[in-house]
Amino acid sequence: MESKIPVTVLTGYLGSGKTTLLNNILHGNHGKKIAVIVNDMGEVNVDEALINQSGFKRTDEKLVSMSNGCICCTLREDLIVELNKIVSDHEIEQIVIEASGISEPIPIAQSIALEDNPLGIDLSAKLELDAIVSIVDVNRFWDNFQSGQAIEKRKSQEVVEEEDRDIRDLLIDQIEFCNVLLLNKCDLLSEEKVTKIEKLIRKLQPTAKIIKTVQSKVELSEILDTKLFDMEEISASAGWIKELELGYQDHIPETEEYGISSFVYRRQLPFDANKFNVYADQYLPDSVTRAKGFLWLAQHNDFSVIFETAGNHKSIGVLTYWVATMPEEEQQQTIDSDPELESLWHPVYGDRLTEIVFIGMGMDQAAIEQQLDACLVDETSFVNNSFNQLSPYPWEKTTDEN
């Protein structure tokens, strides 16, 4: 059976050092024939003398072979199509993809790792994701992270689909979904300042390997042919997921060093959807860097609702039906197969529960919990349906007629 070609994806905000890292790979002594997919050919340092010496020429301004076996390809066509073309060259041993500075890594990973995609080209049979490498510019980290500015468009043709997204939201996406984190430009900050950034990043991403770099210089074995990627593991590697997995009683108290902390808000009473909407929109403090979890809303008693916030970006939507809404036989089968669910099962409300993870700096946990408690519907009002039945959200339960 023919072995699959490993793929490394580089992510990071504009100016973080992705192109510098690519140049290090291109000119490195790795002995591999590597195809590199980039967003802007002009920024990659392809030495014309090396091209001439190698005996290869440009092909439609897309492919360039260098003397050390690397190939560069501008990403002007669909990623899936380009990858499918590259794998037809059986001499390629590794592929490196530089994601756009305003791109999320998850869609790229899905294009490679999943069998189904819009074009019907199954890359998973030919390629395997080796690692997602996220590069963070520590020198500009706080400016980018705390600015609240909308995502900068590098080129006019790059489109930000969600206009209300800000830089912090994107940075968190890039940090949470990765195997390796390069803290770049560490020479421009004091060790203490770098450590503070590292501790916050470690809260957001407790699993990935963190490497401190200058000018994106790193041993290539740390990012190439690592065999680190696992879709299930990386999808569950974010700090907020790890916090929920710990459980309330197992949460480790914070040292509060640099004021960086986290906590889980858990209640077995529903929120009033109107009150929670106002709180999330107007009163959630700036000290909260990241919040994500599952809500029980009184006006939408059948639905488990997922809520998240990062920077100025907030989203809320229906996730699934609560197990408690299933027919009794299905309920019991589900409970029997999940011991954790059984331990949390309420005799009246079943699995209905609110769990929100908060990660931030200088958070006042008591004040946040008090404000959230003020959004709850008390048990008497809920049982008697004496709360405001109107909701700011449009979700309605659907019925299966079959």
Side-chain angles (χ1 to χ4, degrees):
M1 182 178 178
E2 189 175 355
S3 60
K4 297 180 181 181
I5 300 173
V7 181
T8 299
V9 178
L10 307 182
T11 69
Y13 189 58
L14 306 176
S16 61
K18 296 189 301 299
T19 303
T20 302
L21 178 57
L22 275 178
N23 283 320
N24 293 342
I25 294 172
L26 289 170
H27 296 272
N29 185 25
H30 45 68
K32 294 177 179 289
K33 289 197 172 182
I34 302 177
V36 181
I37 297 180
V38 299
N39 294 290
D40 187 348
M41 189 67 144
E43 294 190 9
V44 178
N45 183 16
V46 181
D47 192 326
E48 195 69 32
L50 290 175
I51 297 170
N52 293 336
Q53 291 171 9
S54 69
F56 290 87
K57 296 181 179 180
R58 297 177 187 268
T59 304
D60 298 330
E61 295 301 322
K62 289 182 180 179
L63 297 179
V64 177
S65 181
M66 294 183 60
S67 58
N68 66 350
C70 291
I71 292 177
C72 295
C73 152
T74 57
L75 189 56
R76 293 175 183 168
E77 296 183 27
D78 185 274
L79 174 64
I80 296 171
V81 173
E82 287 297 335
L83 285 171
N84 198 45
K85 290 179 182 177
I86 289 173
V87 295
S88 64
D89 183 345
H90 299 290
E91 294 185 354
I92 296 300
E93 298 172 302
Q94 176 95 33
I95 298 173
V96 179
I97 301 171
E98 177 200 11
S100 161
I102 59 172
S103 295
E104 299 175 38
I106 294 177
I108 297 174
Q110 290 174 333
S111 297
I112 300 165
L114 302 182
E115 295 181 8
D116 296 327
N117 61 65
L119 299 180
I121 299 173
D122 181 7
L123 293 174
S124 67
K126 306 172 185 177
L127 305 174
E128 62 179 358
L129 263 171
D130 182 66
I132 306 289
V133 180
S134 182
I135 307 173
V136 176
D137 177 355
V138 295
N139 188 46
R140 295 173 56 198
F141 179 78
W142 294 120
D143 289 339
N144 288 333
F145 202 78
Q146 297 175 331
S147 69
Q149 293 179 352
I151 296 172
E152 177 185 346
K153 296 182 183 179
R154 191 174 192 177
K155 294 189 173 82
S156 60
Q157 65 264 33
E158 291 189 90
V159 178
V160 181
E161 293 183 357
E162 297 177 80
E163 294 298 332
D164 61 340
R165 295 190 70 204
D166 65 12
I167 296 172
R168 179 160 58 172
D169 181 24
L170 177 64
L171 287 173
I172 289 173
D173 279 340
Q174 294 173 344
I175 290 169
E176 286 186 337
F177 194 85
C178 70
N179 304 111
V180 181
L181 271 160
L182 300 188
L183 303 188
N184 194 33
K185 306 183 185 180
C186 288
D187 56 323
L188 302 180
L189 288 180
S190 68
E191 185 176 347
E192 181 181 5
K193 290 180 178 178
V194 173
T195 300
K196 181 178 180 180
I197 293 170
E198 181 182 4
K199 286 187 177 295
L200 176 58
I201 287 176
R202 181 53 81 198
K203 266 292 173 192
L204 296 169
Q205 171 48 270
T207 304
K209 180 192 299 184
I210 293 181
I211 303 171
K212 298 174 185 177
T213 63
V214 174
Q215 296 182 342
S216 298
K217 291 180 180 178
V218 62
E219 290 291 333
L220 296 184
S221 60
E222 299 280 10
I223 60 173
L224 300 179
D225 201 21
T226 66
K227 299 178 175 60
L228 289 174
F229 185 87
D230 181 281
M231 181 65 86
E232 185 175 345
E233 289 182 6
I234 197 172
S235 298
S237 68
W240 73 273
I241 297 176
K242 297 299 183 185
E243 288 283 342
L244 287 183
E245 288 177 347
L246 279 174
Y248 180 79
Q249 64 275 15
D250 296 322
H251 176 74
I252 301 171
E254 312 300 336
T255 61
E256 290 294 340
E257 189 173 11
Y258 302 114
I260 299 167
S261 63
S262 62
F263 68 93
V264 181
Y265 176 86
R266 281 185 177 87
R267 297 293 187 270
Q268 274 196 309
L269 282 174
F271 282 129
D272 180 302
N274 303 285
K275 292 180 180 179
F276 180 82
N277 182 58
V278 171
Y279 172 76
D281 190 50
Q282 300 181 25
Y283 297 109
L284 190 69
D286 292 337
S287 59
V288 175
T289 299
R290 180 71 157 129
K292 189 166 184 177
F294 311 102
L295 311 182
W296 174 19
L297 301 179
Q299 290 88 343
H300 304 280
N301 191 43
D302 294 314
F303 302 125
S304 172
V305 173
I306 188 164
F307 166 76
E308 68 175 305
T309 176
N312 293 335
H313 175 65
K314 299 179 180 67
S315 67
I316 186 168
V318 170
L319 180 64
T320 187
Y321 286 104
W322 295 109
V323 174
T325 64
M326 297 178 178
E328 288 188 15
E329 186 175 345
E330 289 184 40
Q331 279 186 35
Q332 195 56 52
Q333 289 175 352
T334 305
I335 294 169
D336 291 343
S337 64
D338 188 345
E340 184 179 358
L341 179 60
E342 185 176 14
S343 67
L344 295 172
W345 193 265
H346 189 280
V348 177
Y349 306 131
D351 59 324
R352 293 179 178 92
L353 176 73
T354 286
E355 293 183 298
I356 312 174
V357 176
F358 291 88
I359 299 173
M361 302 181 63
M363 293 187 299
D364 186 338
Q365 178 177 343
I368 293 172
E369 290 182 339
Q370 185 177 20
Q371 291 169 329
L372 287 171
D373 285 346
C375 299
L376 296 172
V377 174
D378 66 81
E379 190 166 14
T380 301
S381 298
F382 181 66
V383 171
N384 294 330
N385 285 322
S386 57
F387 58 91
N388 181 2
Q389 302 292 316
L390 298 177
S391 169
Y393 309 119
W395 317 311
E396 295 182 2
K397 182 177 180 181
T398 58
T399 57
D400 187 356
E401 297 179 356
N402 296 327

